[in-house]
Amino acid sequence: MVQMVNEHNVLKGILEIPNAIEDTLNLEKNSIKQISIEIVKKNPKVIYITGHTNSFIGIGAKYAFEELTHTPTIAIPPNDLINYESAISEEHFIVLVSETGSSPGPVAAAKHLEKKGVPTLAITNTKGSHLEKACKRSILTHAFHEAHAITGHNAILATLYQIAIDMAKEQSKIKISTLNKLEDDLFKTPEIVRSVLNQKDNVKEIAQACKGDKDIFMIGGGPNHATAIIGGWLLGECAGLHGVGLDVEEVVHGPLYTGYPGMPLIAVAPEGKNFNKIIKLIEVIKDIGLKII
């Protein structure tokens, strides 16, 4: 039987997320701004975001970079960079993310890219790590090392959002008032997370409703496709469930038909561009008998 991760460390990691985001944004503000200015000066044709946590960090950050800086952004696993070998050049900018800074894929990719003269940036939670040493530029996040890696992952994602905002400010293509509002919202994230974590009774109620289930769908749209992916991973890692994170547009193209009556579907549906899509989808799938949360 597969050994689940230490539940104490996972819970500690979740509870540390607000502090990690808060400390990183405050303590690294100047470093983030300087690197953001440098990226704008290089004016890359494409920004690649790569790392073993790339599937959700890269997807989540992609929307911020493309919407705010109008720079095409590709989320790509480090081992897949070889397939882009002929396409990547000094005209691109590569962001390598790793909470530990020791993941072999990102470290090997960083060393190879530096030899090619491709600009790289390491975002890691570990000072003096192999990844930090392999890149000319680095930003250190401030997450508690003994907690679960999800703490550092959230700090890395917040860092990427701040980079996108600072780049947009430097480009002066979007109203400064709009960007200041986005930055204010980003800095409010820790308090929002704390308020959610305080809803223990609601969380326990949902957990109780799903405790006998083996399969769970999670759906989200846009940046919250990334939320669904990491949610699915954590359900597997922490609870041994078959958690599947899906984009709201993909659910009806096959995965939906593997669902069965009583199977939970968790819909991540904040206000925004994808809200109505998710509500319409929920109306459609009610007939299947899924347990919608």
Side-chain angles (χ1 to χ4, degrees):
M1 186 175 179
V2 177
Q3 180 68 39
M4 296 298 104
V5 297
N6 185 301
E7 64 180 30
H8 177 69
N9 281 345
V10 176
L11 181 58
K12 185 187 292 185
I14 292 170
L15 296 175
E16 281 291 327
I17 288 172
N19 292 337
I21 295 174
E22 202 166 55
D23 291 345
T24 299
L25 292 177
N26 285 316
L27 296 174
E28 299 301 322
K29 188 173 180 64
N30 291 335
S31 296
I32 293 172
K33 185 173 183 179
Q34 289 173 5
I35 287 174
S36 301
I37 292 171
E38 184 180 353
I39 298 173
V40 170
K41 287 180 179 178
K42 289 186 177 297
N43 191 26
K45 287 185 176 179
V46 179
I47 293 173
Y48 291 87
I49 301 174
T50 184
H52 289 313
T53 49
N54 156 82
S55 292
F56 77 94
I57 290 179
I59 291 171
K62 169 184 171 71
Y63 288 89
F65 279 100
E66 292 187 337
E67 186 169 347
L68 299 182
T69 75
H70 303 163
T71 306
T73 302
I74 299 174
I76 178 174
N79 295 331
D80 202 30
L81 279 170
I82 191 170
N83 297 319
Y84 286 73
E85 178 69 24
S86 60
I88 295 176
S89 70
E90 296 177 13
E91 295 180 314
H92 302 129
F93 196 93
I94 317 293
V95 181
L96 299 109
V97 302
S98 172
E99 200 270 341
T100 64
S102 60
S103 300
V107 173
K111 291 178 179 178
H112 177 69
L113 292 164
E114 284 291 343
K115 286 181 181 178
K116 283 189 66 174
V118 180
T120 59
L121 165 65
I123 306 180
T124 176
N125 191 50
T126 310
K127 186 173 179 59
S129 65
H130 295 300
L131 183 61
E132 185 192 18
K133 292 176 180 177
C135 297
K136 289 183 179 178
R137 304 159 197 83
S138 63
I139 296 172
L140 289 172
T141 54
H142 296 263
F144 186 47
H145 279 273
E146 294 180 19
H148 189 268
I150 192 66
T151 319
H153 296 164
N154 277 272
I156 289 171
L157 186 55
T159 299
L160 287 166
Y161 275 114
Q162 183 66 65
I163 290 173
I165 291 170
D166 284 344
M167 285 178 63
K169 286 183 177 181
E170 189 68 16
Q171 291 172 327
S172 301
K173 294 178 181 178
I174 297 175
K175 288 182 180 180
I176 190 66
S177 59
T178 300
L179 296 172
N180 285 339
K181 173 65 167 58
L182 288 172
E183 188 170 45
D184 287 343
D185 288 344
L186 181 61
F187 272 76
K188 290 175 184 174
T189 302
E191 284 308 310
I192 294 171
V193 176
R194 288 187 182 106
S195 70
V196 173
L197 293 176
N198 284 333
Q199 298 180 46
K200 294 179 182 178
D201 291 341
N202 288 343
V203 173
K204 285 182 179 179
E205 184 179 347
I206 292 171
Q208 286 293 319
C210 300
K211 69 178 183 179
D213 297 299
K214 297 296 182 184
D215 307 290
I216 296 182
F217 282 152
M218 287 196 72
I219 61 169
N224 282 304
H225 177 204
T227 309
I229 290 173
I230 187 59
W233 285 0
L234 289 171
L235 285 167
E237 183 180 21
C238 302
L241 301 177
H242 178 225
V244 182
L246 297 165
D247 182 78
V248 64
E249 300 283 4
E250 297 174 353
V251 179
V252 295
H253 295 293
L256 181 62
Y257 299 98
T258 65
Y260 49 84
M263 177 180 171
L265 181 144
I266 299 175
V268 184
E271 292 182 7
K273 297 176 182 177
N274 292 282
F275 180 79
N276 288 332
K277 289 181 183 178
I278 292 175
I279 298 304
K280 287 179 181 177
L281 175 66
I282 288 172
E283 291 297 326
V284 169
I285 63 179
K286 277 182 178 178
D287 291 340
I288 297 176
L290 269 65
K291 183 163 50 185
I292 300 168
I293 299 168

